Amino acid sequence: TQLLEQSPQFLSIQEGENLTVYCNSSSVFSSLQWYRQEPGEGPVLLVTVVTGGEVKKLKRLTFQFGDARKDSSLHITAAQPGDTGLYLCAGAREYGNKLVFGAGTILRVKS
Amino acid sequence: DAGVTQSPTHLIKTRGQQVTLRCSPKSGHDTVSWYQQALGQGPQFIFQYYEEEERQRGNFPDRFSGHQFPNYSSELNVNALLLGDSALYLCASSPLGTTLLYEQYFGPGTRLTVT
């Protein structure tokens, strides 16, 4: 059973389009991270959100943590081919910093 | 500032053999976690080491064991390899005892293929 459900599993869009990836759970997390991973490489940390309702922006990427700290979203504005990759959300529970990952969203941006 | 490093990059083993993977954490980090990522899936937590002791463990059998050295580097050992152990093994480090408690930085991984 996946504690963190990501949707959609796969997204193929044209350059310049906007998109949103969702990460949902029935569990409360103390923090949630978003990572981007390219084939054959390790995940690269994009952002950490820790406060319910928190919104963080990283250039064209906007991350939001749900008020109840059970869900999160990643919105990309004007997607570019360089945004192509696997996007992973990961949550940390109260004790320690063991990360629980979603299955990921594969994003392909076509030029 | 060196990031997380792992060795080897790739490894091919036969069923029943044993394997050791190595990880050096990011400078200033003292906690090391290991994850297994099967093809098309998100990483699954194996265990975490801090102060040379295993702090937490995921749902993995005892064939998976580890060690942390005084310089914070770590090893992951897998005995009696099965075909299903084929995966990308990721090491992540984090600075325990700071406000960045929940942030983990990943190495490039070791691709293990069991034939």
Side-chain angles (χ1 to χ4, degrees):
Chain A
T1 303
Q2 200 79 32
L3 279 180
L4 280 170
E5 300 286 342
Q6 279 189 245
S7 61
Q9 291 181 310
F10 182 77
L11 200 53
S12 181
I13 61 172
Q14 291 293 135
E15 182 177 2
E17 292 184 359
N18 302 332
L19 67 113
T20 301
V21 177
Y22 299 94
C23 179
N24 296 299
S25 176
S26 58
S27 302
V28 175
F29 290 94
S30 295
S31 73
L32 199 136
Q33 287 105 61
W34 284 92
Y35 292 83
R36 179 169 165 266
Q37 185 178 23
E38 302 211 25
E41 299 182 10
V44 175
L45 179 65
L46 296 174
V47 77
T48 299
V49 285
V50 296
T51 305
E54 182 176 4
V55 177
K56 282 193 175 179
K57 292 191 175 183
L58 184 65
K59 297 183 180 178
R60 295 176 294 100
L61 278 60
T62 302
F63 305 87
Q64 185 163 8
F65 202 13
D67 291 341
R69 293 186 290 138
K70 293 182 179 181
D71 54 85
S72 180
S73 64
L74 157 60
H75 182 79
I76 300 179
T77 304
Q80 299 177 0
D83 295 327
T84 293
L86 174 67
Y87 288 82
L88 294 158
C89 66
R93 308 295 288 274
E94 287 292 337
Y95 176 71
N97 57 350
K98 160 189 168 182
L99 286 178
V100 175
F101 279 85
T105 295
I106 298 173
L107 172 64
R108 179 186 172 198
V109 182
K110 295 175 286 187
S111 57
Chain B
D1 180 20
V4 179
T5 59
Q6 291 186 243
S7 63
T9 305
H10 296 88
L11 204 52
I12 299 175
K13 289 286 188 178
T14 304
R15 275 180 301 175
Q17 285 188 317
Q18 178 264 343
V19 68
T20 297
L21 311 181
R22 296 176 176 82
C23 170
S24 290
K26 183 177 169 65
S27 178
H29 289 188
D30 54 11
T31 301
V32 173
S33 302
W34 286 92
Y35 294 81
Q36 180 195 66
Q37 186 176 24
L39 203 60
Q41 296 182 22
Q44 299 290 318
F45 176 77
I46 303 175
F47 43 53
Q48 181 184 86
Y49 277 85
Y50 171 66
E51 292 188 338
E52 303 179 50
E53 291 190 358
E54 184 181 291
R55 283 181 71 235
Q56 295 184 75
R57 189 178 182 90
N59 190 25
F60 279 80
D62 292 344
R63 298 186 298 108
F64 290 77
S65 63
H67 187 78
Q68 186 179 36
F69 299 93
N71 66 353
Y72 308 124
S73 66
S74 176
E75 288 183 349
L76 164 64
N77 301 292
V78 186
N79 295 321
L81 284 167
L82 303 173
L83 294 178
D85 294 332
S86 295
L88 181 68
Y89 287 84
L90 295 164
C91 170
S93 72
S94 55
L96 192 71
T98 74
T99 56
L100 301 176
L101 177 67
Y102 298 113
E103 294 189 348
Q104 297 194 9
Y105 295 83
F106 285 82
T110 294
R111 171 69 63 188
L112 172 64
T113 302
V114 182
T115 61

mmCIF file of all heavy atoms in Angstrom, chain B residues 94-115:
data_model
loop_
_atom_site.group_PDB
_atom_site.id
_atom_site.type_symbol
_atom_site.label_atom_id
_atom_site.label_comp_id
_atom_site.label_asym_id
_atom_site.label_seq_id
_atom_site.Cartn_x
_atom_site.Cartn_y
_atom_site.Cartn_z
ATOM 1 N N SER B 94 21.902 13.390 5.716
ATOM 2 C CA SER B 94 21.200 14.547 6.260
ATOM 3 C C SER B 94 21.890 15.008 7.526
ATOM 4 O O SER B 94 22.540 14.220 8.214
ATOM 5 C CB SER B 94 19.740 14.200 6.542
ATOM 6 O OG SER B 94 19.636 13.077 7.380
ATOM 7 N N PRO B 95 21.756 16.292 7.834
ATOM 8 C CA PRO B 95 22.380 16.826 9.041
ATOM 9 C C PRO B 95 21.418 16.711 10.221
ATOM 10 O O PRO B 95 20.521 17.518 10.381
ATOM 11 C CB PRO B 95 22.633 18.289 8.687
ATOM 12 C CG PRO B 95 21.567 18.618 7.701
ATOM 13 C CD PRO B 95 21.154 17.345 7.028
ATOM 14 N N LEU B 96 21.574 15.691 11.044
ATOM 15 C CA LEU B 96 20.711 15.516 12.211
ATOM 16 C C LEU B 96 21.013 16.601 13.220
ATOM 17 O O LEU B 96 22.066 17.061 13.316
ATOM 18 C CB LEU B 96 20.974 14.151 12.831
ATOM 19 C CG LEU B 96 19.961 13.681 13.874
ATOM 20 C CD1 LEU B 96 18.651 13.332 13.199
ATOM 21 C CD2 LEU B 96 20.508 12.481 14.618
ATOM 22 N N GLY B 97 20.066 17.005 13.980
ATOM 23 C CA GLY B 97 20.340 17.965 15.036
ATOM 24 C C GLY B 97 20.396 19.392 14.558
ATOM 25 O O GLY B 97 20.895 20.258 15.230
ATOM 26 N N THR B 98 19.851 19.645 13.383
ATOM 27 C CA THR B 98 19.696 21.024 12.900
ATOM 28 C C THR B 98 18.251 21.195 12.451
ATOM 29 O O THR B 98 17.480 20.249 12.450
ATOM 30 C CB THR B 98 20.623 21.326 11.703
ATOM 31 O OG1 THR B 98 20.092 20.669 10.541
ATOM 32 C CG2 THR B 98 22.023 20.826 11.965
ATOM 33 N N THR B 99 17.899 22.398 12.083
ATOM 34 C CA THR B 99 16.534 22.625 11.612
ATOM 35 C C THR B 99 16.285 21.969 10.262
ATOM 36 O O THR B 99 15.163 21.930 9.793
ATOM 37 C CB THR B 99 16.248 24.127 11.482
ATOM 38 O OG1 THR B 99 17.236 24.704 10.622
ATOM 39 C CG2 THR B 99 16.300 24.794 12.844
ATOM 40 N N LEU B 100 17.351 21.459 9.627
ATOM 41 C CA LEU B 100 17.198 20.783 8.346
ATOM 42 C C LEU B 100 17.005 19.292 8.548
ATOM 43 O O LEU B 100 17.395 18.493 7.728
ATOM 44 C CB LEU B 100 18.418 21.044 7.464
ATOM 45 C CG LEU B 100 18.687 22.516 7.160
ATOM 46 C CD1 LEU B 100 19.977 22.659 6.363
ATOM 47 C CD2 LEU B 100 17.538 23.134 6.400
ATOM 48 N N LEU B 101 16.399 18.912 9.664
ATOM 49 C CA LEU B 101 16.266 17.511 10.052
ATOM 50 C C LEU B 101 15.650 16.662 8.963
ATOM 51 O O LEU B 101 16.035 15.527 8.761
ATOM 52 C CB LEU B 101 15.401 17.418 11.312
ATOM 53 C CG LEU B 101 15.100 16.009 11.817
ATOM 54 C CD1 LEU B 101 16.381 15.363 12.310
ATOM 55 C CD2 LEU B 101 14.084 16.074 12.950
ATOM 56 N N TYR B 102 14.670 17.191 8.243
ATOM 57 C CA TYR B 102 13.925 16.353 7.326
ATOM 58 C C TYR B 102 14.496 16.326 5.923
ATOM 59 O O TYR B 102 14.013 15.596 5.081
ATOM 60 C CB TYR B 102 12.466 16.828 7.250
ATOM 61 C CG TYR B 102 11.761 16.735 8.572
ATOM 62 C CD1 TYR B 102 11.351 17.881 9.245
ATOM 63 C CD2 TYR B 102 11.510 15.505 9.159
ATOM 64 C CE1 TYR B 102 10.718 17.789 10.459
ATOM 65 C CE2 TYR B 102 10.863 15.415 10.380
ATOM 66 C CZ TYR B 102 10.462 16.564 11.021
ATOM 67 O OH TYR B 102 9.830 16.477 12.222
ATOM 68 N N GLU B 103 15.515 17.126 5.656
ATOM 69 C CA GLU B 103 16.027 17.180 4.299
ATOM 70 C C GLU B 103 17.114 16.142 4.098
ATOM 71 O O GLU B 103 18.020 16.012 4.902
ATOM 72 C CB GLU B 103 16.573 18.575 4.005
ATOM 73 C CG GLU B 103 15.487 19.630 3.993
ATOM 74 C CD GLU B 103 15.973 20.965 3.484
ATOM 75 O OE1 GLU B 103 17.193 21.127 3.347
ATOM 76 O OE2 GLU B 103 15.131 21.843 3.236
ATOM 77 N N GLN B 104 16.986 15.412 3.007
ATOM 78 C CA GLN B 104 17.973 14.394 2.683
ATOM 79 C C GLN B 104 18.524 14.655 1.284
ATOM 80 O O GLN B 104 17.782 15.023 0.378
ATOM 81 C CB GLN B 104 17.352 12.999 2.763
ATOM 82 C CG GLN B 104 16.872 12.656 4.167
ATOM 83 C CD GLN B 104 16.561 11.202 4.351
ATOM 84 O OE1 GLN B 104 16.836 10.375 3.496
ATOM 85 N NE2 GLN B 104 15.974 10.869 5.485
ATOM 86 N N TYR B 105 19.818 14.428 1.141
ATOM 87 C CA TYR B 105 20.498 14.654 -0.126
ATOM 88 C C TYR B 105 21.010 13.317 -0.629
ATOM 89 O O TYR B 105 21.714 12.604 0.086
ATOM 90 C CB TYR B 105 21.642 15.659 0.056
ATOM 91 C CG TYR B 105 21.132 17.027 0.438
ATOM 92 C CD1 TYR B 105 20.837 17.334 1.753
ATOM 93 C CD2 TYR B 105 20.917 17.997 -0.534
ATOM 94 C CE1 TYR B 105 20.331 18.580 2.098
ATOM 95 C CE2 TYR B 105 20.421 19.248 -0.198
ATOM 96 C CZ TYR B 105 20.129 19.528 1.122
ATOM 97 O OH TYR B 105 19.635 20.759 1.465
ATOM 98 N N PHE B 106 20.653 13.007 -1.862
ATOM 99 C CA PHE B 106 20.923 11.689 -2.419
ATOM 100 C C PHE B 106 22.192 11.644 -3.260
ATOM 101 O O PHE B 106 22.548 12.621 -3.928
ATOM 102 C CB PHE B 106 19.748 11.231 -3.283
ATOM 103 C CG PHE B 106 18.557 10.794 -2.490
ATOM 104 C CD1 PHE B 106 17.660 11.722 -1.990
ATOM 105 C CD2 PHE B 106 18.347 9.447 -2.225
ATOM 106 C CE1 PHE B 106 16.563 11.321 -1.246
ATOM 107 C CE2 PHE B 106 17.249 9.027 -1.482
ATOM 108 C CZ PHE B 106 16.360 9.972 -0.996
ATOM 109 N N GLY B 107 22.827 10.478 -3.221
ATOM 110 C CA GLY B 107 23.929 10.207 -4.126
ATOM 111 C C GLY B 107 23.393 9.720 -5.462
ATOM 112 O O GLY B 107 22.184 9.572 -5.633
ATOM 113 N N PRO B 108 24.294 9.444 -6.408
ATOM 114 C CA PRO B 108 23.874 9.023 -7.752
ATOM 115 C C PRO B 108 23.359 7.587 -7.808
ATOM 116 O O PRO B 108 22.735 7.192 -8.793
ATOM 117 C CB PRO B 108 25.141 9.183 -8.582
ATOM 118 C CG PRO B 108 26.242 9.018 -7.592
ATOM 119 C CD PRO B 108 25.739 9.606 -6.308
ATOM 120 N N GLY B 109 23.626 6.807 -6.749
ATOM 121 C CA GLY B 109 23.120 5.448 -6.718
ATOM 122 C C GLY B 109 24.085 4.411 -7.265
ATOM 123 O O GLY B 109 25.033 4.727 -7.990
ATOM 124 N N THR B 110 23.843 3.164 -6.876
ATOM 125 C CA THR B 110 24.546 2.006 -7.436
ATOM 126 C C THR B 110 23.509 1.125 -8.100
ATOM 127 O O THR B 110 22.547 0.704 -7.463
ATOM 128 C CB THR B 110 25.270 1.200 -6.340
ATOM 129 O OG1 THR B 110 26.323 1.976 -5.787
ATOM 130 C CG2 THR B 110 25.837 -0.101 -6.920
ATOM 131 N N ARG B 111 23.716 0.860 -9.391
ATOM 132 C CA ARG B 111 22.793 -0.012 -10.121
ATOM 133 C C ARG B 111 23.251 -1.450 -9.943
ATOM 134 O O ARG B 111 24.306 -1.833 -10.430
ATOM 135 C CB ARG B 111 22.771 0.360 -11.602
ATOM 136 C CG ARG B 111 22.006 -0.608 -12.487
ATOM 137 C CD ARG B 111 20.527 -0.590 -12.245
ATOM 138 N NE ARG B 111 19.916 0.694 -12.558
ATOM 139 C CZ ARG B 111 18.639 1.000 -12.282
ATOM 140 N NH1 ARG B 111 17.867 0.109 -11.695
ATOM 141 N NH2 ARG B 111 18.160 2.170 -12.600
ATOM 142 N N LEU B 112 22.445 -2.253 -9.224
ATOM 143 C CA LEU B 112 22.767 -3.659 -8.980
ATOM 144 C C LEU B 112 21.896 -4.537 -9.872
ATOM 145 O O LEU B 112 20.670 -4.405 -9.879
ATOM 146 C CB LEU B 112 22.530 -4.029 -7.517
ATOM 147 C CG LEU B 112 22.637 -5.515 -7.163
ATOM 148 C CD1 LEU B 112 24.066 -6.025 -7.385
ATOM 149 C CD2 LEU B 112 22.211 -5.770 -5.721
ATOM 150 N N THR B 113 22.528 -5.405 -10.620
ATOM 151 C CA THR B 113 21.821 -6.371 -11.452
ATOM 152 C C THR B 113 22.168 -7.767 -10.963
ATOM 153 O O THR B 113 23.350 -8.118 -10.872
ATOM 154 C CB THR B 113 22.209 -6.242 -12.928
ATOM 155 O OG1 THR B 113 21.919 -4.904 -13.380
ATOM 156 C CG2 THR B 113 21.431 -7.232 -13.793
ATOM 157 N N VAL B 114 21.143 -8.556 -10.631
ATOM 158 C CA VAL B 114 21.346 -9.926 -10.175
ATOM 159 C C VAL B 114 20.871 -10.870 -11.274
ATOM 160 O O VAL B 114 19.731 -10.781 -11.739
ATOM 161 C CB VAL B 114 20.582 -10.204 -8.871
ATOM 162 C CG1 VAL B 114 20.849 -11.634 -8.400
ATOM 163 C CG2 VAL B 114 20.981 -9.207 -7.792
ATOM 164 N N THR B 115 21.762 -11.755 -11.719
ATOM 165 C CA THR B 115 21.409 -12.669 -12.817
ATOM 166 C C THR B 115 21.328 -14.113 -12.323
ATOM 167 O O THR B 115 21.826 -14.439 -11.234
ATOM 168 C CB THR B 115 22.439 -12.603 -13.939
ATOM 169 O OG1 THR B 115 23.721 -13.001 -13.417
ATOM 170 C CG2 THR B 115 22.563 -11.184 -14.477
#
